[in-house]
Amino acid sequence: DTAVSQTPKYLVTQMGNDKSIKCEQNLGHDTMYWYKQDSKKFLKIMFSYNNKELIINETVPNRFSPKSPDKAHLNLHINSLELGDSAVYFCASSPRQGTAYEQYFGPGTRLTVT
Amino acid sequence: GQSLEQPSEVTAVEGAIVQINCTYQTSGFYGLSWYQQHDGGAPTFLSYNALDGLEETGRFSSFLSRSDSYGYLLLQELQMKDSASYFCAVNSNYQLIWGAGTKLIIKP
């Protein structure tokens, strides 16, 4: 009974490629998030969606484009990958827009760009 | 600007008590959350304080003082499995503002 799932778990690719990470939650939550965690473990919010609508779009290169086909899914597409994109990307969800304090995280996708 | 300060590393002995402090300066504040992350794992929610005072959940307690912009996580009866990174995060304007994390090292 996986609550928040992400695929793939590992992604190794070369500079310049385009890749996607998928996220699904079966908790019935309205709000979903994408985070980037760098090698120093700093968690940076990238995007947040509430019921398929974008509500947070932090300063992220426009090579990163999120898509939410329905409130249970939030995918992340990255164009023209760069070395600095190497990190662990986490998807998370929370019950409603006002419950950001309690988020449920997916297992993460470790992206390595060579 | 927005900032959270927590120690980068804390060392304690198995069976002891440890306190991880967090001070914050943010433009919006609704409460303070704490998360645990084991190496190679995902952050998991531990506790949330919206009001001043102490919240207890088993061996873990969390405290908040809004007037001092300060909170802490208290871990009692430390076990080796508590070795992890602990993050404080401010609930602000529909998102969490995260601290840099405290690595808790437990020695037998």
Side-chain angles (χ1 to χ4, degrees):
Chain A
D1 285 3
T2 305
V4 183
S5 59
Q6 294 178 229
T7 53
K9 192 166 173 62
Y10 299 96
L11 190 51
V12 181
T13 188
Q14 291 184 330
M15 284 174 55
N17 285 348
D18 304 338
K19 290 293 178 186
S20 290
I21 307 172
K22 295 187 174 182
C23 177
E24 176 182 2
Q25 54 93 5
N26 63 6
L27 298 167
H29 288 173
D30 287 347
T31 310
M32 296 184 73
Y33 312 82
W34 274 113
Y35 287 92
K36 178 181 180 181
Q37 188 171 47
D38 61 25
S39 58
K40 295 185 177 179
K41 300 205 108 180
F42 184 71
L43 270 163
K44 176 183 162 65
I45 180 81
M46 300 173 71
F47 304 102
S48 176
Y49 273 73
N50 187 66
N51 262 321
K52 302 191 298 175
E53 292 204 17
L54 181 67
I55 55 170
I56 293 172
N57 183 356
E58 290 294 303
T59 309
V60 175
N62 57 15
R63 298 182 294 105
F64 292 79
S65 51
K67 278 211 174 80
S68 183
D70 55 61
K71 75 173 193 177
H73 296 84
L74 180 61
N75 304 322
L76 184 66
H77 187 76
I78 316 169
N79 289 325
S80 304
L81 277 155
E82 301 178 356
L83 292 176
D85 297 332
S86 294
V88 180
Y89 292 83
F90 286 102
C91 174
S93 71
S94 64
R96 295 174 305 283
Q97 190 172 347
T99 61
Y101 57 86
E102 184 174 355
Q103 296 183 19
Y104 296 79
F105 283 75
T109 296
R110 183 173 293 275
L111 172 65
T112 303
V113 182
T114 62
Chain B
Q2 308 203 83
S3 67
L4 284 85
E5 296 286 335
Q6 54 180 129
S8 59
E9 189 174 289
V10 171
T11 301
V13 177
E14 192 176 13
I17 299 172
V18 72
Q19 179 173 312
I20 299 173
N21 297 321
C22 175
T23 58
Y24 58 86
Q25 185 176 0
T26 57
S27 55
F29 181 86
Y30 295 99
L32 189 69
S33 294
W34 288 92
Y35 284 77
Q36 178 192 61
Q37 185 180 25
H38 287 100
D39 282 347
T44 56
F45 173 76
L46 291 176
S47 68
Y48 179 63
N49 295 68
L51 303 174
D52 285 359
L54 192 68
E55 295 278 345
E56 296 180 67
T57 312
R59 295 187 297 115
F60 293 4
S61 303
S62 57
F63 172 82
L64 176 66
S65 169
R66 295 174 72 117
S67 59
D68 294 323
S69 299
Y70 164 75
Y72 65 73
L73 179 70
L74 190 74
L75 296 84
Q76 302 182 73
E77 301 171 19
L78 284 171
Q79 301 174 10
M80 296 305 293
K81 67 178 182 179
D82 298 329
S83 296
S85 292
Y86 292 85
F87 293 85
C88 60
V90 164
N91 180 21
S92 170
N93 299 326
Y94 302 124
Q95 65 175 293
L96 287 178
I97 311 297
W98 295 78
T102 298
K103 186 175 178 68
L104 176 60
I105 298 168
I106 299 174
K107 298 186 173 178

